[in-house]
Amino acid sequence: MARTHTYSMWVAGKEQPGEAELIPVEDPAIGEVFAQCHAASTSDVERTIMLAQETFKSGIWSKSPRHHRADVLDKCAVLLTEALPALIELEVRQTGRAIREMNAQVPSLVRWFKYYASLLRVEEQPVLPTAGKLHNFLQRAPLGVVVQITPFNHPLLIAVKKLAPALAAGNSVIVKPSELTPLTTLLLGPILKQAGIPDGVFNVLPGYGATTGKMLVQHPLVRKVDVTGGTMAGQAIGGIVGGNLARYTAELGGKAPLIVFEKADVQLAVNGIAFGSFIASGQTCIASTRIIVDNKILPQVLEQLKAKTDLITQRIGAPNNGESSMGPLISAKQLGNAEALVVEAIDGGKAKALTGGSRMQGTSSIDGTDFSKGYFYPPTILVSTEGDSILKTQIWRSEAFGPVIVVVGFDTEEQAIKLANDSDFGLGAGIWTQDLAQAFRVSEQIDAGITWVNTHHRNDPSSPWGGAKSSSGVGSENGIDAYHAYTTIKSTIINYASTEESLAADDWFRDGAGAVRYG
């Protein structure tokens, strides 16, 4: 085995060892451990939370001027940009994501720091029209210690999406990254410290969800938990957080529908399906996994979509190869989950694969990568064997979290909407049509927190990102709502009536039966 590098936790502005067992970090393209990471024990968690609380109470960050916090966030963006080459290389290694994806995604992260820096500089504090000679103004104050639990699929993106509003608000943050991909989040530590984030304000505690994660979210000093993950994990964490009456934001599962209407440009729609379905090897919560197509154009769409997926498959190779179109799944477990759902659908006689459908073997035609060593699964298209039989399969309803899509037809707009909403999830959805009236009409009826029209997976710091159904989570990321969710509201009411007026109106227990105020 090649020599592995060991990464430490990031606590109190420096690298520190953890007392729990080391976590092996695997390269999913070759199925080998290339690094190991220190993990937090019970005592590590307790010490870090107490440190974060003391730092918060000190006011060094929580009570610093908002313009200072804005300047520091801007500096974070500058230093993050300078560190991009090293971050991208490591992100590719630990996730298996194609480098062409990471070259596009990781540089975009600076927008979150810049957005929340700008928000701090322009945020207005309301003055309310309270009756009487009263000046009633509102302020937002940070919550305290907050915990963020991030997933394996977008380690840096989701960490920064959560970090930027939390830091902008003045909180002390503890991040527990996925045990599968903890490394790039740890590299944020020195970057943020150099930018001016005080020691103890940003901490990273790697560990497993059932141990480190549970210890973090159940601690009574934690005032908010923000998690991205699966629905079952989100429900379990929510139950714990609720017991402490702490704030909770959860971005959970998805099974995004993508509707292609007759008036869509077919080539644009096919390109959109391929991107929405197979980016990150399908390991995204908003992946377009249920493709719903007007029967009038269904044969044409399937023909062009098959050609597109075949082209993607031909160009799969090593993730660090700039020519590679798609990488492996994150782990053997994740590969097994996707395989099992496909096998159930096909062996049950309710679906057939137009392309893909089984684990990749052999070697890459572009660079000789041995697919059998990694967790490679090809882009897969499943259709019904008879009628709409695929609607009776588990994969119609369950997240495969892999590059697998199911395609069904419809005859009427009402049918399309019904199929789109036939899910417990409601995170993302896509509509493809050149009919603007239809786009408005249908988007209003789709049960999804985010609906894209003639595009997919657009993500901007200003645009809310959250589910419309409980299985897809509670609350939202991005925008001013995310910033507000990391604050508590303070209402201050100042009486500016004269002493004489106050003596006349506010002496509740004076002699006599004169009128008194209430409220």
Side-chain angles (χ1 to χ4, degrees):
M1 180 185 295
R3 184 177 179 182
T4 61
H5 181 72
T6 301
Y7 292 76
S8 298
M9 306 186 306
W10 181 263
V11 179
K14 59 184 178 182
E15 295 181 354
Q16 296 197 30
E19 296 177 352
E21 187 175 345
L22 290 173
I23 299 171
V25 182
E26 194 176 31
D27 181 337
I30 58 176
E32 294 180 2
V33 172
F34 75 95
Q36 53 188 1
C37 183
H38 280 266
S41 66
T42 301
S43 57
D44 290 326
V45 169
E46 181 67 24
R47 282 193 297 268
T48 303
I49 291 177
M50 296 307 297
L51 167 73
Q53 176 73 359
E54 291 169 8
T55 305
F56 177 77
K57 288 295 186 181
S58 76
I60 190 172
W61 182 252
S62 60
K63 295 181 181 179
S64 63
R66 61 174 50 240
H67 288 282
H68 169 69
R69 296 202 303 272
D71 290 343
V72 172
L73 291 181
D74 275 335
K75 185 66 172 177
C76 288
V78 171
L79 296 178
L80 184 64
T81 300
E82 295 175 359
L84 286 176
L87 290 171
I88 290 171
E89 180 181 5
L90 187 56
E91 193 82 325
V92 169
R93 188 82 188 272
Q94 69 174 354
T95 65
R97 298 274 299 278
I99 194 169
R100 64 198 299 263
E101 291 182 13
M102 293 295 95
N103 282 337
Q105 183 188 90
V106 177
S108 73
L109 305 188
V110 299
R111 296 181 297 161
W112 272 264
F113 286 123
K114 291 179 177 179
Y115 172 81
Y116 286 103
S118 298
L119 190 152
L120 282 174
R121 294 189 177 102
V122 303
E123 182 188 21
E124 297 179 351
Q125 296 181 345
V127 175
L128 304 182
T130 307
K133 291 188 175 182
L134 302 169
H135 184 78
N136 187 182
F137 63 94
L138 304 183
Q139 295 173 295
R140 290 196 171 271
L143 298 173
V145 178
V146 300
V147 166
Q148 300 172 340
I149 298 178
T150 57
F152 68 78
N153 54 340
H154 304 286
L156 272 175
L157 171 64
I158 294 177
V160 170
K161 283 174 67 177
K162 297 180 187 300
L163 269 174
L167 292 174
N171 296 287
S172 292
V173 183
I174 302 172
V175 180
K176 192 210 83 67
S178 167
E179 64 273 13
L180 298 174
T181 56
L183 306 182
T184 48
T185 306
L186 288 164
L187 294 192
L188 289 176
I191 295 171
L192 270 57
K193 180 182 175 72
Q194 185 181 351
I197 298 293
D199 295 349
V201 171
F202 172 66
N203 309 277
V204 184
L205 294 185
Y208 295 96
T211 52
T212 304
K214 185 176 181 180
M215 289 184 287
L216 283 167
V217 303
Q218 69 186 12
H219 199 286
L221 286 179
V222 171
R223 300 317 307 144
K224 177 178 170 67
V225 173
D226 189 341
V227 60
T228 296
T231 301
M232 290 182 63
Q235 290 170 333
I237 294 170
I240 297 171
V241 175
N244 287 334
L245 298 180
R247 304 280 188 93
Y248 188 46
T249 297
E251 194 260 81
L252 305 177
K255 192 69 180 174
L258 187 152
I259 307 173
V260 184
F261 287 101
E262 181 185 11
K263 294 182 180 179
D265 181 290
V266 172
Q267 189 57 60
L268 282 177
V270 166
N271 292 345
I273 293 168
F275 175 78
S277 306
F278 304 133
I279 196 77
S281 302
Q283 298 172 115
T284 71
C285 49
I286 48 77
S288 52
T289 52
R290 296 182 299 131
I291 314 303
I292 302 162
V293 185
D294 192 310
N295 279 317
K296 300 183 191 68
I297 59 171
L298 180 57
Q300 182 183 0
V301 168
L302 286 174
E303 180 183 1
Q304 294 190 30
L305 185 57
K306 183 180 183 303
K308 174 70 72 173
T309 54
D310 287 345
L311 181 62
I312 294 171
T313 303
Q314 293 166 15
R315 294 172 53 234
I316 294 176
N320 61 1
N321 182 347
E323 298 299 315
S324 180
S325 60
M326 200 175 83
L329 298 184
I330 189 66
S331 65
K333 179 181 177 181
Q334 192 56 45
L335 175 64
N337 291 342
E339 284 183 308
L341 286 170
V342 172
V343 168
E344 184 269 343
I346 293 176
D347 288 359
K350 296 181 176 66
K352 60 183 178 181
L354 288 188
T355 186
S358 60
R359 181 177 182 174
M360 297 184 72
Q361 301 291 337
T363 58
S364 167
S365 61
I366 62 170
D367 59 22
T369 295
D370 186 348
F371 292 134
S372 65
K373 291 183 177 180
Y375 310 121
F376 290 90
Y377 198 86
T380 296
I381 304 171
L382 300 180
V383 297
S384 297
T385 52
E386 183 178 359
D388 290 331
S389 58
I390 204 167
L391 301 182
K392 300 175 182 178
T393 63
Q394 187 179 352
I395 200 169
W396 171 256
R397 300 195 173 278
S398 300
E399 276 192 294
F401 228 61
V404 183
I405 61 176
V406 298
V407 183
V408 297
F410 68 87
D411 293 314
T412 67
E413 189 175 286
E414 291 72 21
Q415 281 182 315
I417 295 167
K418 183 177 180 181
L419 286 168
N421 291 334
D422 183 29
S423 174
D424 292 333
F425 300 106
L427 186 56
I431 298 169
W432 291 80
T433 179
Q434 298 298 310
D435 184 334
L436 186 60
Q438 183 178 57
F440 273 102
R441 187 170 61 245
V442 174
S443 64
E444 288 183 340
Q445 300 176 72
I446 299 295
D447 296 333
I450 316 156
T451 300
W452 294 282
V453 177
N454 296 328
T455 189
H456 203 87
H457 206 160
R458 297 287 185 170
N459 189 5
D460 187 88
S462 65
S463 182
W465 185 283
K469 295 180 180 179
S470 58
S471 289
S472 287
V474 293
S476 65
E477 298 176 328
N478 294 349
I480 194 168
D481 287 348
Y483 170 74
H484 285 170
Y486 277 103
T487 67
T488 186
I489 198 77
K490 293 182 65 175
S491 177
T492 302
I493 304 169
I494 300 175
N495 178 15
Y496 60 88
S498 68
T499 301
E500 291 76 13
E501 288 173 310
S502 295
L503 285 171
D506 289 349
D507 185 0
W508 266 75
F509 298 104
R510 66 176 178 264
D511 291 337
V516 293
R517 65 143 181 114
Y518 191 88

